Coordinates of all heavy atoms in Angstrom, one line a residue:
R1 N -60.4 -64.0 -26.1 CA -59.4 -64.6 -27.0 C -58.1 -64.0 -26.6 O -57.9 -62.8 -26.4 CB -59.8 -64.2 -28.4 CG -58.9 -64.8 -29.4 CD -59.4 -64.5 -30.8 NE -58.3 -64.9 -31.7 CZ -58.4 -65.0 -33.0 NH1 -59.6 -64.8 -33.5 NH2 -57.4 -65.4 -33.7
I2 N -57.1 -64.8 -26.5 CA -55.7 -64.4 -26.1 C -54.9 -64.0 -27.4 O -54.9 -64.7 -28.4 CB -55.0 -65.6 -25.4 CG1 -55.7 -66.0 -24.2 CG2 -53.5 -65.2 -25.1 CD1 -55.1 -67.2 -23.5
K3 N -54.3 -62.8 -27.3 CA -53.5 -62.3 -28.4 C -52.2 -63.1 -28.4 O -51.6 -63.3 -27.4 CB -53.2 -60.8 -28.2 CG -54.3 -59.9 -28.7 CD -53.9 -58.4 -28.3 CE -52.8 -57.8 -29.1 NZ -52.7 -56.4 -28.8
P4 N -51.7 -63.4 -29.7 CA -50.4 -64.1 -29.7 C -49.3 -63.2 -29.4 O -49.4 -61.9 -29.6 CB -50.4 -64.5 -31.2 CG -51.4 -63.7 -31.9 CD -52.4 -63.3 -30.9
T5 N -48.3 -63.7 -28.8 CA -47.1 -62.9 -28.4 C -46.3 -62.5 -29.6 O -46.0 -63.3 -30.5 CB -46.2 -63.7 -27.5 OG1 -46.9 -64.2 -26.3 CG2 -45.0 -63.0 -27.1
P6 N -46.1 -61.2 -29.8 CA -45.3 -60.8 -31.0 C -43.9 -61.3 -30.9 O -43.3 -61.4 -29.8 CB -45.2 -59.2 -30.8 CG -46.3 -58.9 -29.9 CD -46.5 -60.1 -29.0
M7 N -43.4 -61.8 -32.0 CA -42.1 -62.5 -32.0 C -41.1 -61.8 -32.9 O -41.5 -61.2 -33.9 CB -42.2 -63.9 -32.5 CG -43.2 -64.8 -31.6 SD -42.6 -65.1 -30.0 CE -41.4 -66.4 -30.3
C8 N -39.8 -61.9 -32.6 CA -38.7 -61.5 -33.4 C -38.0 -62.7 -33.9 O -38.2 -63.8 -33.4 CB -37.6 -60.7 -32.5 SG -38.1 -59.2 -31.8
E9 N -37.3 -62.6 -35.0 CA -36.5 -63.7 -35.5 C -35.1 -63.2 -35.9 O -35.0 -62.1 -36.6 CB -37.2 -64.3 -36.7 CG -36.4 -65.6 -37.2 CD -37.1 -66.4 -38.2 OE1 -38.3 -66.1 -38.4 OE2 -36.5 -67.2 -38.9
L10 N -34.1 -63.8 -35.4 CA -32.7 -63.5 -35.7 C -31.9 -64.8 -35.9 O -32.0 -65.7 -35.0 CB -32.1 -62.7 -34.5 CG -30.7 -62.2 -34.6 CD1 -30.5 -61.2 -35.7 CD2 -30.3 -61.6 -33.2
A11 N -31.3 -64.9 -37.0 CA -30.5 -66.1 -37.3 C -31.3 -67.3 -37.3 O -30.8 -68.4 -36.9 CB -29.3 -66.2 -36.4
G12 N -32.6 -67.2 -37.6 CA -33.5 -68.4 -37.7 C -34.0 -68.8 -36.3 O -34.7 -69.8 -36.2
I13 N -33.7 -68.0 -35.3 CA -34.2 -68.3 -33.9 C -35.3 -67.3 -33.6 O -35.1 -66.0 -33.7 CB -33.1 -68.3 -32.9 CG1 -32.1 -69.4 -33.3 CG2 -33.6 -68.4 -31.5 CD1 -30.8 -69.3 -32.5
K14 N -36.4 -67.7 -33.1 CA -37.5 -66.8 -32.7 C -37.5 -66.6 -31.2 O -37.3 -67.6 -30.5 CB -38.9 -67.4 -33.2 CG -39.0 -67.4 -34.7 CD -40.4 -68.0 -35.1 CE -40.5 -67.9 -36.6 NZ -41.7 -68.4 -37.1
F15 N -37.9 -65.4 -30.8 CA -38.0 -65.1 -29.4 C -39.0 -63.9 -29.3 O -39.1 -63.1 -30.2 CB -36.6 -64.7 -28.8 CG -35.9 -63.6 -29.5 CD1 -36.0 -62.3 -29.1 CD2 -35.0 -63.9 -30.5 CE1 -35.4 -61.3 -29.7 CE2 -34.3 -62.9 -31.2 CZ -34.5 -61.6 -30.8
P16 N -39.6 -63.8 -28.1 CA -40.6 -62.7 -27.9 C -39.9 -61.4 -28.0 O -38.8 -61.2 -27.7 CB -41.1 -63.0 -26.5 CG -40.9 -64.4 -26.3 CD -39.6 -64.8 -27.0
V17 N -40.7 -60.4 -28.5 CA -40.2 -59.0 -28.6 C -39.8 -58.6 -27.2 O -40.5 -58.8 -26.2 CB -41.3 -58.1 -29.1 CG1 -40.9 -56.6 -29.0 CG2 -41.6 -58.5 -30.6
P18 N -38.6 -58.0 -27.1 CA -38.1 -57.5 -25.8 C -39.0 -56.4 -25.2 O -39.8 -55.8 -26.0 CB -36.7 -57.0 -26.1 CG -36.3 -57.7 -27.3 CD -37.5 -57.9 -28.1
M19 N -38.9 -56.2 -23.9 CA -39.6 -55.1 -23.3 C -39.3 -53.8 -23.9 O -38.2 -53.5 -24.3 CB -39.3 -55.1 -21.8 CG -39.6 -56.4 -21.1 SD -38.8 -56.5 -19.4 CE -39.6 -55.1 -18.6
K20 N -40.3 -52.9 -24.0 CA -40.1 -51.6 -24.6 C -40.3 -50.5 -23.5 O -39.9 -49.4 -23.8 CB -41.1 -51.4 -25.7 CG -40.8 -52.3 -26.9 CD -41.8 -52.1 -28.0 CE -41.5 -53.0 -29.2 NZ -42.5 -52.9 -30.2
E21 N -40.8 -50.9 -22.4 CA -41.0 -49.9 -21.3 C -40.5 -50.4 -20.0 O -40.4 -51.6 -19.8 CB -42.5 -49.6 -21.1 CG -43.2 -49.0 -22.4 CD -44.7 -48.7 -22.1 OE1 -45.1 -48.8 -21.0 OE2 -45.3 -48.4 -23.2
A22 N -40.0 -49.5 -19.2 CA -39.4 -49.9 -17.9 C -40.5 -50.5 -17.0 O -41.6 -50.0 -17.0 CB -38.8 -48.7 -17.2
P23 N -40.1 -51.6 -16.3 CA -41.1 -52.2 -15.4 C -41.2 -51.4 -14.1 O -40.4 -50.4 -13.9 CB -40.5 -53.5 -15.1 CG -39.0 -53.4 -15.3 CD -38.9 -52.3 -16.4
T24 N -42.0 -51.8 -13.2 CA -42.1 -51.1 -11.9 C -40.9 -51.4 -11.1 O -40.3 -52.5 -11.2 CB -43.3 -51.8 -11.1 OG1 -44.5 -51.6 -11.9 CG2 -43.5 -51.1 -9.8
H25 N -40.4 -50.4 -10.3 CA -39.2 -50.5 -9.5 C -39.3 -51.8 -8.7 O -40.3 -52.1 -8.0 CB -39.1 -49.3 -8.6 CG -37.8 -49.1 -7.9 ND1 -37.5 -49.8 -6.7 CD2 -36.7 -48.4 -8.2 CE1 -36.3 -49.5 -6.4 NE2 -35.8 -48.6 -7.2
G26 N -38.2 -52.5 -8.7 CA -38.1 -53.8 -7.9 C -38.6 -55.0 -8.6 O -38.4 -56.1 -8.1
T27 N -39.1 -54.9 -9.8 CA -39.6 -56.0 -10.6 C -38.4 -56.8 -11.1 O -37.4 -56.2 -11.6 CB -40.4 -55.6 -11.8 OG1 -41.5 -54.9 -11.4 CG2 -40.8 -56.8 -12.7
T28 N -38.4 -58.1 -11.0 CA -37.3 -59.0 -11.5 C -37.6 -59.2 -13.0 O -38.7 -59.6 -13.4 CB -37.3 -60.3 -10.7 OG1 -37.1 -60.1 -9.4 CG2 -36.2 -61.2 -11.3
I29 N -36.5 -58.9 -13.8 CA -36.6 -59.2 -15.2 C -35.4 -60.0 -15.6 O -34.5 -60.2 -14.8 CB -36.6 -57.8 -16.0 CG1 -35.3 -57.1 -15.8 CG2 -37.8 -57.0 -15.6 CD1 -35.1 -55.9 -16.8
C30 N -35.4 -60.5 -16.9 CA -34.3 -61.3 -17.4 C -33.7 -60.5 -18.6 O -34.3 -59.9 -19.4 CB -34.8 -62.6 -17.9 SG -35.5 -63.6 -16.5
V31 N -32.3 -60.6 -18.6 CA -31.6 -59.9 -19.6 C -30.8 -60.9 -20.5 O -30.2 -61.8 -20.0 CB -30.5 -58.9 -19.0 CG1 -29.7 -58.2 -20.0 CG2 -31.3 -57.9 -18.0
A32 N -31.0 -60.7 -21.8 CA -30.2 -61.5 -22.8 C -28.8 -61.0 -22.9 O -28.6 -59.8 -23.0 CB -30.9 -61.5 -24.1
A33 N -27.9 -62.0 -22.8 CA -26.5 -61.7 -23.0 C -25.8 -62.8 -23.8 O -26.4 -63.8 -24.0 CB -25.8 -61.6 -21.6
V34 N -24.6 -62.5 -24.2 CA -23.9 -63.5 -25.1 C -23.7 -64.8 -24.3 O -23.8 -65.9 -24.9 CB -22.6 -62.9 -25.6 CG1 -21.8 -64.0 -26.3 CG2 -22.8 -61.7 -26.5
K35 N -23.4 -64.7 -23.0 CA -23.1 -65.9 -22.2 C -24.4 -66.6 -21.7 O -24.3 -67.6 -21.0 CB -22.2 -65.6 -21.0 CG -20.8 -65.2 -21.5 CD -20.0 -64.8 -20.3 CE -19.7 -66.0 -19.4 NZ -18.8 -65.8 -18.3
G36 N -25.6 -66.1 -22.0 CA -26.8 -66.6 -21.6 C -27.7 -65.5 -21.1 O -27.7 -64.4 -21.6
A37 N -28.6 -65.9 -20.1 CA -29.5 -64.9 -19.6 C -29.2 -64.7 -18.1 O -28.8 -65.7 -17.4 CB -30.9 -65.4 -19.8
F38 N -29.5 -63.6 -17.6 CA -29.4 -63.4 -16.1 C -30.5 -62.5 -15.6 O -31.1 -61.7 -16.4 CB -28.0 -62.8 -15.8 CG -27.7 -61.4 -16.4 CD1 -28.0 -60.2 -15.7 CD2 -27.1 -61.3 -17.6 CE1 -27.7 -59.0 -16.3 CE2 -26.8 -60.1 -18.2 CZ -27.1 -59.0 -17.5
R39 N -30.8 -62.6 -14.4 CA -31.9 -61.9 -13.7 C -31.4 -60.7 -13.0 O -30.3 -60.7 -12.4 CB -32.6 -62.8 -12.7 CG -33.4 -63.9 -13.3 CD -33.9 -64.8 -12.2 NE -34.5 -66.0 -12.7 CZ -35.8 -66.2 -12.9 NH1 -36.6 -65.2 -12.7 NH2 -36.2 -67.3 -13.4
I40 N -32.2 -59.6 -13.1 CA -31.9 -58.4 -12.3 C -33.2 -57.9 -11.7 O -34.3 -58.2 -12.2 CB -31.2 -57.3 -13.1 CG1 -32.1 -56.8 -14.2 CG2 -29.9 -57.7 -13.7 CD1 -31.7 -55.5 -14.9
D41 N -33.1 -57.2 -10.6 CA -34.2 -56.5 -10.1 C -34.1 -55.0 -10.6 O -33.1 -54.4 -10.5 CB -34.2 -56.4 -8.5 CG -34.4 -57.8 -7.9 OD1 -35.2 -58.6 -8.5 OD2 -33.9 -58.0 -6.8
W42 N -35.2 -54.6 -11.3 CA -35.2 -53.3 -11.9 C -35.1 -52.2 -10.9 O -36.0 -52.1 -10.0 CB -36.5 -53.1 -12.8 CG -36.5 -51.8 -13.5 CD1 -37.0 -50.7 -13.1 CD2 -35.8 -51.5 -14.7 NE1 -36.8 -49.7 -14.0 CE2 -36.1 -50.2 -15.0 CE3 -35.1 -52.3 -15.7 CZ2 -35.6 -49.6 -16.2 CZ3 -34.7 -51.7 -16.8 CH2 -34.9 -50.3 -17.1
L43 N -34.1 -51.4 -10.9 CA -33.9 -50.3 -9.9 C -33.8 -49.0 -10.6 O -33.4 -48.0 -10.0 CB -32.6 -50.6 -9.1 CG -32.7 -51.9 -8.3 CD1 -31.3 -52.1 -7.6 CD2 -33.8 -51.9 -7.3
D44 N -34.0 -49.0 -11.9 CA -34.0 -47.8 -12.8 C -32.6 -47.2 -12.8 O -32.4 -45.9 -12.8 CB -35.0 -46.8 -12.3 CG -35.4 -45.8 -13.4 OD1 -35.3 -46.1 -14.6 OD2 -35.8 -44.6 -13.1
L45 N -31.6 -48.0 -12.7 CA -30.2 -47.6 -12.7 C -29.8 -47.3 -14.2 O -30.5 -47.8 -15.1 CB -29.3 -48.6 -12.1 CG -29.5 -49.0 -10.7 CD1 -28.6 -50.1 -10.2 CD2 -29.3 -47.8 -9.8
E46 N -28.6 -46.7 -14.4 CA -28.1 -46.4 -15.7 C -28.0 -47.7 -16.5 O -28.3 -47.8 -17.7 CB -26.8 -45.7 -15.7 CG -26.3 -45.3 -17.0 CD -25.0 -44.4 -16.9 OE1 -24.7 -43.8 -15.8 OE2 -24.3 -44.4 -17.9
T47 N -27.4 -48.8 -15.8 CA -27.2 -50.1 -16.5 C -28.6 -50.7 -16.9 O -28.7 -51.3 -17.9 CB -26.4 -51.0 -15.6 OG1 -27.0 -51.1 -14.3 CG2 -25.0 -50.6 -15.5
D48 N -29.6 -50.6 -16.0 CA -30.9 -51.2 -16.3 C -31.4 -50.5 -17.5 O -31.9 -51.2 -18.4 CB -31.9 -50.9 -15.1 CG -31.5 -51.5 -13.8 OD1 -30.6 -52.4 -13.8 OD2 -32.1 -51.2 -12.8
N49 N -31.3 -49.2 -17.6 CA -31.8 -48.5 -18.8 C -31.0 -48.7 -20.0 O -31.6 -48.7 -21.1 CB -31.9 -47.0 -18.4 CG -33.1 -46.7 -17.6 OD1 -34.2 -46.7 -18.0 ND2 -32.8 -46.3 -16.3
A50 N -29.7 -49.0 -19.9 CA -28.9 -49.4 -21.0 C -29.4 -50.7 -21.6 O -29.5 -50.9 -22.8 CB -27.4 -49.4 -20.6
F51 N -29.7 -51.7 -20.7 CA -30.2 -53.0 -21.2 C -31.5 -52.8 -21.9 O -31.7 -53.4 -23.0 CB -30.4 -54.0 -20.0 CG -29.1 -54.4 -19.3 CD1 -29.1 -54.5 -18.0 CD2 -28.0 -54.7 -20.0 CE1 -27.9 -55.0 -17.3 CE2 -26.8 -55.1 -19.4 CZ -26.8 -55.3 -18.0
L52 N -32.4 -52.0 -21.3 CA -33.7 -51.7 -21.9 C -33.6 -51.1 -23.3 O -34.2 -51.5 -24.2 CB -34.6 -50.9 -21.0 CG -36.0 -50.6 -21.4 CD1 -36.8 -51.9 -21.4 CD2 -36.6 -49.6 -20.5
S53 N -32.8 -50.0 -23.4 CA -32.7 -49.3 -24.6 C -32.0 -50.1 -25.7 O -32.1 -49.8 -26.9 CB -32.0 -47.9 -24.4 OG -30.6 -48.1 -24.0
S54 N -31.2 -51.1 -25.3 CA -30.5 -52.0 -26.2 C -31.4 -53.2 -26.7 O -31.0 -54.0 -27.5 CB -29.3 -52.6 -25.6 OG -28.3 -51.5 -25.4
G55 N -32.6 -53.2 -26.1 CA -33.6 -54.3 -26.5 C -33.2 -55.7 -25.9 O -33.5 -56.7 -26.6
L56 N -32.6 -55.7 -24.7 CA -32.2 -57.0 -24.2 C -33.0 -57.5 -23.0 O -32.8 -58.6 -22.5 CB -30.7 -56.8 -23.7 CG -29.7 -56.5 -24.8 CD1 -28.4 -56.2 -24.2 CD2 -29.6 -57.6 -25.8
C57 N -34.0 -56.7 -22.6 CA -34.8 -57.1 -21.4 C -36.1 -57.9 -21.8 O -36.8 -57.5 -22.7 CB -35.3 -55.8 -20.7 SG -33.9 -54.8 -20.0
H58 N -36.3 -58.9 -21.0 CA -37.4 -59.8 -21.2 C -38.2 -60.1 -19.8 O -37.5 -60.0 -18.8 CB -37.0 -61.1 -21.8 CG -36.5 -61.0 -23.2 ND1 -37.3 -61.1 -24.3 CD2 -35.3 -60.8 -23.7 CE1 -36.6 -60.9 -25.4 NE2 -35.3 -60.8 -25.0
T59 N -39.4 -60.4 -20.0 CA -40.2 -60.7 -18.7 C -40.0 -62.2 -18.3 O -40.3 -62.5 -17.1 CB -41.7 -60.5 -19.0 OG1 -42.1 -61.3 -20.1 CG2 -42.0 -59.0 -19.2
T60 N -39.4 -63.0 -19.2 CA -39.2 -64.4 -18.8 C -37.8 -64.9 -19.1 O -37.2 -64.4 -20.0 CB -40.2 -65.4 -19.5 OG1 -39.8 -65.4 -20.9 CG2 -41.6 -65.0 -19.3
E61 N -37.3 -65.8 -18.3 CA -36.0 -66.4 -18.6 C -35.9 -67.1 -19.9 O -34.9 -67.1 -20.6 CB -35.6 -67.3 -17.4 CG -34.2 -67.8 -17.5 CD -33.7 -68.5 -16.2 OE1 -34.6 -68.8 -15.4 OE2 -32.5 -68.8 -16.1
E62 N -37.0 -67.8 -20.2 CA -37.1 -68.6 -21.5 C -36.9 -67.6 -22.7 O -36.1 -67.9 -23.6 CB -38.4 -69.3 -21.6 CG -38.6 -70.1 -22.8 CD -40.0 -70.7 -22.9 OE1 -40.8 -70.5 -22.0 OE2 -40.2 -71.4 -23.9
A63 N -37.5 -66.5 -22.7 CA -37.4 -65.5 -23.8 C -36.0 -65.0 -23.8 O -35.4 -64.9 -24.9 CB -38.4 -64.4 -23.6
A64 N -35.4 -64.6 -22.7 CA -34.0 -64.1 -22.7 C -33.0 -65.1 -23.1 O -32.1 -64.8 -23.8 CB -33.7 -63.6 -21.3
K65 N -33.2 -66.4 -22.8 CA -32.3 -67.5 -23.2 C -32.4 -67.6 -24.7 O -31.4 -67.8 -25.4 CB -32.6 -68.8 -22.5 CG -32.1 -68.8 -21.1 CD -32.4 -70.1 -20.4 CE -31.8 -70.2 -19.0 NZ -32.1 -71.5 -18.4
A66 N -33.6 -67.6 -25.3 CA -33.7 -67.7 -26.7 C -33.1 -66.6 -27.5 O -32.4 -66.7 -28.5 CB -35.2 -67.8 -27.1
H67 N -33.2 -65.4 -26.9 CA -32.6 -64.2 -27.5 C -31.1 -64.3 -27.4 O -30.4 -64.0 -28.4 CB -33.1 -63.0 -26.7 CG -32.7 -61.7 -27.4 ND1 -33.3 -60.5 -26.9 CD2 -31.9 -61.3 -28.3 CE1 -32.8 -59.5 -27.6 NE2 -31.9 -60.0 -28.5
S68 N -30.6 -64.8 -26.3 CA -29.2 -65.0 -26.1 C -28.6 -66.0 -27.2 O -27.6 -65.8 -27.8 CB -28.9 -65.5 -24.7 OG -27.5 -65.9 -24.6
E69 N -29.4 -67.1 -27.4 CA -29.0 -68.1 -28.4 C -28.9 -67.5 -29.8 O -27.9 -67.7 -30.5 CB -30.0 -69.3 -28.4 CG -29.6 -70.4 -29.3 CD -30.7 -71.5 -29.4 OE1 -31.5 -71.5 -28.5 OE2 -30.6 -72.3 -30.3
A70 N -29.9 -66.6 -30.1 CA -29.9 -65.9 -31.4 C -28.7 -65.0 -31.5 O -28.0 -64.9 -32.6 CB -31.2 -65.2 -31.6
L71 N -28.3 -64.3 -30.5 CA -27.1 -63.4 -30.5 C -25.8 -64.2 -30.8 O -25.0 -63.8 -31.6 CB -27.0 -62.6 -29.2 CG -28.1 -61.6 -28.9 CD1 -27.9 -61.1 -27.5 CD2 -28.1 -60.5 -29.9
R72 N -25.7 -65.3 -30.1 CA -24.5 -66.2 -30.3 C -24.5 -66.7 -31.8 O -23.4 -66.7 -32.4 CB -24.4 -67.3 -29.3 CG -24.1 -66.9 -27.9 CD -23.8 -68.1 -27.0 NE -24.9 -69.0 -26.9 CZ -25.9 -68.9 -26.1 NH1 -26.0 -67.9 -25.3 NH2 -26.8 -69.9 -26.1
K73 N -25.6 -67.1 -32.3 CA -25.7 -67.7 -33.6 C -25.4 -66.7 -34.7 O -24.6 -67.0 -35.6 CB -27.0 -68.4 -33.8 CG -27.1 -69.1 -35.1 CD -28.4 -69.9 -35.3 CE -28.4 -70.6 -36.6 NZ -29.7 -71.4 -36.8
V74 N -26.0 -65.5 -34.6 CA -25.7 -64.5 -35.6 C -24.3 -64.0 -35.5 O -23.7 -63.7 -36.6 CB -26.7 -63.3 -35.4 CG1 -26.3 -62.4 -34.3 CG2 -26.8 -62.5 -36.7
N75 N -23.7 -64.0 -34.4 CA -22.2 -63.7 -34.3 C -21.4 -64.7 -35.0 O -20.5 -64.4 -35.8 CB -21.8 -63.6 -32.8 CG -20.4 -63.2 -32.6 OD1 -20.1 -62.1 -33.0 ND2 -19.6 -64.0 -32.0
L76 N -21.7 -66.0 -34.8 CA -20.9 -67.0 -35.5 C -21.1 -67.0 -37.0 O -20.2 -67.2 -37.8 CB -21.3 -68.4 -34.9 CG -20.8 -68.7 -33.5 CD1 -21.4 -70.0 -33.0 CD2 -19.3 -68.7 -33.4
M77 N -22.4 -66.7 -37.4 CA -22.7 -66.6 -38.8 C -21.9 -65.4 -39.5 O -21.3 -65.6 -40.6 CB -24.2 -66.3 -39.0 CG -25.0 -67.5 -38.7 SD -26.8 -67.2 -38.7 CE -27.1 -66.8 -40.4
A78 N -21.7 -64.3 -38.8 CA -21.0 -63.2 -39.3 C -19.5 -63.5 -39.4 O -18.8 -63.2 -40.4 CB -21.1 -62.0 -38.4
I79 N -19.0 -64.3 -38.4 CA -17.6 -64.7 -38.4 C -17.3 -65.6 -39.6 O -16.3 -65.5 -40.3 CB -17.2 -65.3 -37.1 CG1 -17.2 -64.3 -36.0 CG2 -15.8 -66.0 -37.2 CD1 -17.1 -64.8 -34.6
E80 N -18.2 -66.6 -39.8 CA -18.1 -67.6 -40.9 C -18.2 -66.9 -42.2 O -17.5 -67.4 -43.2 CB -19.1 -68.7 -40.7 CG -18.9 -69.6 -39.5 CD -20.0 -70.5 -39.3 OE1 -21.0 -70.5 -40.1 OE2 -19.9 -71.3 -38.3
G81 N -18.9 -65.8 -42.3 CA -19.1 -65.1 -43.6 C -18.0 -64.1 -43.9 O -18.0 -63.6 -45.0
A82 N -17.2 -63.9 -43.0 CA -16.1 -62.8 -43.2 C -15.1 -63.4 -44.2 O -14.8 -64.5 -44.2 CB -15.4 -62.5 -41.9
K83 N -14.6 -62.5 -45.0 CA -13.6 -62.8 -46.0 C -12.3 -62.1 -45.8 O -12.2 -61.1 -45.2 CB -14.1 -62.5 -47.4 CG -15.4 -63.3 -47.7 CD -15.8 -63.1 -49.1 CE -17.1 -63.9 -49.3 NZ -17.4 -64.2 -50.6

């Protein structure tokens, strides 16, 4: 039996829980960003670890894109709710 993928929800958008552990050196991962998602090869650099500790790393582009969409939406919601 296959375990369901644990999901996060932000601003009504669901996406898989980001990676919690560093991948093997050289593994290609996807990073969620405000402008979308981008791929990097994990080299255990300071920036790689900053993405990981910020909860932005995903194993698939689809997951990183959904996370990115949620980041943009929650940002707009915060702006609209400001007084």
Side-chain angles (χ1 to χ4, degrees):
R1 184 175 169 168
I2 299 172
K3 275 174 71 172
T5 302
M7 301 293 280
C8 295
E9 185 171 345
L10 180 64
I13 298 172
K14 292 183 180 181
F15 56 91
V17 172
M19 298 168 62
K20 295 180 180 178
E21 295 181 11
T24 305
H25 191 278
T27 299
T28 300
I29 63 166
C30 297
V31 179
V34 174
K35 290 178 69 175
F38 59 93
R39 294 174 186 263
I40 63 168
D41 290 330
W42 183 267
L43 301 176
D44 203 27
L45 301 174
E46 184 177 339
T47 53
D48 298 348
N49 284 290
F51 293 141
L52 183 67
S53 66
S54 296
L56 299 172
C57 297
H58 293 272
T59 57
T60 68
E61 187 172 9
E62 179 182 3
K65 283 182 176 179
H67 191 168
S68 174
E69 182 183 349
L71 293 172
R72 288 191 303 275
K73 187 172 179 183
V74 77
N75 185 61
L76 290 174
M77 289 170 68
I79 291 168
E80 290 171 3
K83 296 184 180 201

